[in-house]
Amino acid sequence: MAKDKTPAHYLLEELRIIPKLIAELRADIEATRSSVLSSPKWSDVKVQGGLRLSQEDKNIAIVDVTDYNTKQIENLLKRRQEIIDLLMTLPDMLQRHVLVTTYVNCQTFDEAIDRLEMNRNNYYMLKRKGVDSLDELLNRTKSVLNNTGTVQIDTQKY
């Protein structure tokens, strides 16, 4: 039976997922931009879905989508940095190293164990202690778990 996820678990999973979200947003930006180059130019006005659209309207929509995705990437990068900054405040350097390597640089625990060149038992012990330390830190800083499962961090507290 798996134990309940703590705020630290949610935070670490968020840290692991952020690069994947960024990659998807970047792929969407590239696909959107390439549609400008590959889309055929139509006459000044075309009816699509009952709406009259000009080529300029389509280009503006593409720019809007690209700007939105770029802003979301910036927000995700800031969030990632906030979480890493929080991890760097953990008192034990080995725990910090294990958590950062596991959740920033690796996709699996086995990959992290290999990268850290560490005994499996020591790795899991340090990882568990690191997660416990992070939970204590989150409790001290009064971080709040919102209804979507993400942890909101008040970065002024730590």
Side-chain angles (χ1 to χ4, degrees), residues 5-83:
K5 285 190 173 183
T6 64
H9 287 102
Y10 285 109
L11 192 67
L12 292 168
E13 285 304 315
E14 183 180 356
L15 183 61
R16 181 174 273 164
I17 291 171
I18 286 174
K20 295 174 185 177
L21 290 172
I22 290 171
E24 289 302 319
L25 289 170
R26 284 187 176 143
D28 187 48
I29 288 171
E30 288 304 313
T32 305
R33 285 182 179 161
S34 68
S35 72
V36 170
L37 300 175
S38 64
S39 68
K41 303 285 184 199
W42 58 62
S43 62
D44 187 33
V45 176
K46 182 173 181 167
V47 177
Q48 183 177 2
L51 298 173
R52 293 174 56 103
L53 295 174
S54 69
Q55 183 67 34
E56 185 176 322
D57 292 334
K58 183 178 178 185
N59 291 342
I60 290 170
I62 289 170
V63 169
D64 288 344
V65 168
T66 301
D67 287 346
Y68 174 79
N69 286 347
T70 302
K71 180 69 172 161
Q72 292 304 312
I73 289 171
E74 289 171 10
N75 291 339
L76 287 168
L77 289 171
K78 286 177 190 172
R79 179 66 174 161
R80 181 177 184 263
Q81 192 58 51
E82 285 177 357
I83 297 170

